[in-house]
Amino acid sequence: MSLIMFASPVVVITPTVRSLTFSSSRRSNYTVMSAVRSEPTSTCSVLTKFQKDCATPIPFLRNVADAISDDMRAGLAVEGGGDLDMILTFVDALPSGNEEGLFYALDLGGTNFRVRSVQLGGKEERVVANESEQFSIPHELMVGTSEELFGFIASKLADFVAKEKPGRFRLEQGRKREIGFTFSFPVKQTSIDSGTLIKWTKGFNVSGMEGKNVVACLNKAMEAHRLDMRVSALVNDGVGTLAGARYWDEDVMVGVILGTGTNACYVEQKNAIPKLQSKFSSGTTIINTEWGGFSKILPRTIFDQEMDEESLNPGEHCHQFLYCFFTVWVWIKLYEKMISGMYLGEIVRRVLLQMCETSDLFGQFVPVKLSTPFALRTEDLCKMQEDNTDDLVTVGSFLHNFLEVEANLKARRRVVEVCDTVVQRGGRLAGAGIVAILEKIEKDTDRMASGQRTVVAMDGALYEKYPQYRRYMQDALVELLGHHLSSHVAIKHTKDVSGLGAALLAATNSIY
Ligand code: ADP
Ligand code: MG
């Protein structure tokens, strides 16, 4: 029996040396500095150092892609072999287009959950009817008992099914309604239709569920509501995206999520997965990389370190090591913290705060709002970077509204440069991750070299709504792969297909 232990993440505590001593008098929304700078620093030097620390030139990015590939292989060889968990999803068959019948999707991954019914009509008719409904989860249920949470979900599901219009949706006689359940929390998958919860994240803390089979919890609640349905596939949103995108395009090989968080999954050859230890290892299967856990050789600045140390869940990503005979879980997720939407604004806030405290970004003022963790959102960076006016008017008015400062043009430019540095690093590192996966696929299949189109299905508002991020990611991909191979790669934005994907996986894994 393996012993599961939670070890504290290893943190390197680097003292922040401030070359400034000051006394301050606090006015309403900013602190006025009467600074005695022992060693004055200019905003320019803070910026230059930050840019240098964040730099991702191609030779370095190549090393990152290679290190991710190495960890992918290590994770495929043995459980906990590398930073990437490389979870077996048990999804061996992706949708072909031939699926027929009525299937459901249930999506739980944040503060909302969504139910969906899909009537599939085979290759010609495809999605004949499609209905969905979204419900927000009351906060008390996010931190209550599993009976309360799953009881609530089952009751909404029962209402949804009761409202079904018989003309549009037809369940074949003798069949139960089958569900594809997208559950976007760390899960140890044990079969296509079961998996145990490793740890709640995203504000959920439902008691007594860690280590329990999440499908069994849902089944129990459905039984209590006399709801005759069964979960035929348990997936995460990356797998759902890959499956949903594949339904419309058979060249889709990779699914990537770039939203609040990030993850990627892809089609792998079973004979390239030593840890599968199966005699029947022909064909392909989907691997959920959990790539957010990658933590080697990343350009980690003092601001990243401080953010990690101060965050409520330092290193939320689960990473498994086999250590002697113990299974030790350590929570780190440095890659995710550099590339995903939740953190980009926060890193910029930290840099701006230091620029205010150690130099004169906004004259003598340190806006109080700059001291509030996560006050600056990634959406705000995007808004500022889209300002094409000579005087950066939008940036000026944003800073005025947000921080109550009158920023001169030089300060506005500095702010935009900080945003750009963080977004450039994030986009380029995300590009390196995609290249690592594409090169892994290429090694086993030679598909791109032989001219076959290879599609990366992408979902998430960071990718969708941040053009600069997208461009940096694409540039890195072309620079690393080269023009020849990259000309066969398409990155396709497939918004919200993960629900359809989950329903389709219920169909491909139907018990009937
Ligand atoms: P989730 O990942 O939670 O499913 P989304 O895919 O909607 O959610 O992603 C939300 C994240 O995308 C936000 O946390 C934010 O970081 C980023 N984002 C949302 N809108 C924008 C925008 N206009 N510009 C840049 N980033 C955005
Ligand atoms: Mg999402």
Side-chain angles (χ1 to χ4, degrees), residues 267-279:
V267 180
E268 180 59 282
Q269 306 297 314
K270 281 190 183 170
N271 61 17
I273 312 175
K275 71 179 176 185
L276 201 52
Q277 291 179 343
S278 162
K279 291 191 184 73

Side-chain angles (χ1 to χ4, degrees), residues 61-74:
L61 219 47
R62 168 43 59 199
N63 289 342
V64 171
D66 290 346
I68 294 176
S69 289
D70 288 348
D71 271 23
M72 286 172 70
R73 285 197 174 75

Side-chain angles (χ1 to χ4, degrees), residues 373-394:
F374 292 91
L376 189 62
R377 301 165 318 153
T378 301
E379 291 90 318
D380 302 325
L381 315 188
C382 181
K383 208 184 321 166
M384 289 194 277
Q385 280 208 270
E386 292 205 308
D387 185 351
N388 290 323
T389 61
D390 289 342
D391 296 341
L392 296 176
V393 178
T394 312

Side-chain angles (χ1 to χ4, degrees), residues 205-225:
N205 192 11
V206 175
S207 59
M209 268 201 68
E210 284 171 13
K212 292 243 176 80
N213 178 4
V214 292
V215 174
C217 294
L218 177 60
N219 282 339
K220 208 168 124 194
M222 290 193 301
E223 263 168 45
H225 282 80

Side-chain angles (χ1 to χ4, degrees), residues 107 109 184 202 237 241 257-261 459-461 496 498:
D107 184 346
S184 300
K202 310 181 212 180
D237 53 352
T241 297
I257 305 289
L258 284 168
T260 308
D459 196 9
D496 288 339
S498 79

Side-chain angles (χ1 to χ4, degrees), residues 1-4 325-327:
M1 197 179 80
S2 66
L3 177 66
I4 295 179
F325 298 109
F326 302 112
T327 305

Side-chain angles (χ1 to χ4, degrees), residues 16-30:
T16 316
V17 183
R18 298 232 190 278
S19 57
L20 173 72
T21 52
F22 58 84
S23 63
S24 65
S25 65
R26 184 160 286 199
R27 285 214 211 130
S28 58
N29 286 317
Y30 47 83

